[in-house]
Amino acid sequence: MRDLGVGFRYLLKGQRWVARHGRHYGFGLVPGLLTLVLYVAALVALAVWGEDFVGWSTPFADDWSNPWLGLFRGFLTAVLFALGLLLAVVTFTAVTLLIGQPFYENLSEKVDRDVSPDGTAPESGLPLWRELWISARDSLRVLLRALVWAVLLFALGFIPVVGQTVVPVIGFFVTGFFLTEELVAVALQRRDVDLRARLALLRGRRTLVWGFGTPLGLAFLVPFVAVFLMPGAVAGATLLARELLGEEISEGGTAEAAQEENAAS
């Protein structure tokens, strides 16, 4: 259980790191804002035309009498929007990281250099297009795994009592796990740790991962919060990646912050 607290502390340390490095925080907001605009537009479209889509896709119910027709299609419309919202929460991080790959790659390197005892950071040496391809491919594979869990938990949600109590809690922990995987991928990909090895690392210390990802996933449910927490989440995930790999973390790594303050003055 100790790892739960350790994971949460890394989440807080990441937010403190970007608070000390305002310039990197500002750049880190850009991808999240772009992704937010895209997702809001998609959800608005789903809310406006979702009922029409349900009506088009269920022609067999056209002859049903009221109130059964309205109840049936109203239920399907609500389910469609709920699934769209769940998909948005699950995929927001992956899409934001894909859009902001250069931003977050740079941010993660800065964190590595700042906390590394020798002031160095691992570099992938791959061209940007190759990094984007690997990130997109791995994100899709993770998304498919997350969707399997989402469908399973959605089905279990119909079980009386358990579906309204235990299943949502499991859902939050599952979301936290996959959210953490997407975030640590930024730092681990630079270290040539592939998806299979990343998942093995995370499964080996699940409580550490849950301590980091579950509260972050809960925070991401609040509108617009994800945009402002993303830079710190990437910074914290970089520290978490070093913990998973057993790399030393220098607690006094504030040299770059001091340099930025001197430059600003």
Side-chain angles (χ1 to χ4, degrees):
M1 296 299 291
R2 172 182 170 275
D3 267 356
L4 280 173
V6 174
F8 185 66
R9 284 198 294 273
Y10 280 129
L11 178 61
L12 297 180
K13 286 180 179 180
Q15 301 301 326
R16 287 199 296 267
W17 193 94
V18 295
R20 296 199 311 266
H21 301 73
R23 179 166 57 90
H24 298 301
Y25 177 69
F27 281 121
L29 290 177
V30 175
L33 290 171
L34 292 176
T35 308
L36 178 64
V37 171
L38 293 174
Y39 272 59
V40 168
L43 289 174
V44 168
L46 188 61
V48 172
W49 290 295
E51 187 175 356
D52 293 337
F53 174 78
V54 169
W56 170 81
S57 61
T58 56
F60 58 86
D62 287 343
D63 297 329
W64 290 12
S65 60
N66 287 322
W68 306 115
L69 176 62
L71 289 174
F72 175 68
R73 286 182 171 168
F75 173 74
L76 289 183
T77 301
V79 169
L80 179 65
F81 187 81
L83 287 176
L85 189 60
L86 176 62
L87 188 63
V89 172
V90 171
T91 62
F92 182 88
T93 300
V95 174
T96 303
L97 290 173
L98 185 61
I99 292 175
Q101 178 76 17
F103 295 90
Y104 296 133
E105 189 77 22
N106 181 263
L107 172 61
S108 180
E109 286 186 20
K110 295 292 185 184
V111 175
D112 263 326
R113 290 195 180 94
D114 196 42
V115 302
S116 174
D118 59 4
T120 62
E123 297 181 4
S124 67
L126 298 174
L128 178 60
W129 70 267
R130 179 66 177 169
E131 290 181 350
L132 289 173
W133 162 250
I134 294 174
S135 178
R137 181 197 63 193
D138 289 351
S139 294
L140 180 60
R141 292 162 65 185
V142 170
L143 174 60
L144 292 176
R145 287 175 167 85
L147 285 176
V148 171
W149 273 99
V151 172
L152 176 61
L153 292 173
F154 180 76
L156 294 175
F158 290 99
I159 299 176
V161 183
V162 174
Q164 292 74 50
T165 54
V166 178
V167 172
V169 174
I170 295 175
F172 285 127
F173 280 100
V174 171
T175 300
F177 181 90
F178 287 114
L179 182 61
T180 303
E181 195 288 323
E182 291 287 352
L183 289 165
V184 299
V186 178
L188 293 179
Q189 188 174 308
R190 283 190 290 108
R191 293 165 165 83
D192 295 324
V193 181
D194 62 19
L195 177 60
R196 186 184 298 274
R198 291 201 301 268
L199 291 173
L201 280 172
L202 296 176
R203 290 178 185 132
R205 298 187 67 179
R206 284 187 176 89
T207 52
L208 177 71
V209 173
W210 290 335
F212 181 90
T214 302
L216 184 62
L218 289 170
F220 276 15
L221 292 176
V222 181
F224 311 117
V225 166
V227 175
F228 299 101
L229 292 185
M230 271 297 291
V234 173
T238 302
L239 299 175
L240 185 68
R242 296 182 69 93
E243 169 75 21
L244 289 169
L245 294 174
E247 298 177 3
E248 186 177 353
I249 299 175
S250 175
E251 296 293 338
T254 57
E256 186 180 344
Q259 291 175 1
E260 289 184 355
E261 292 176 1
N262 291 336
S265 59

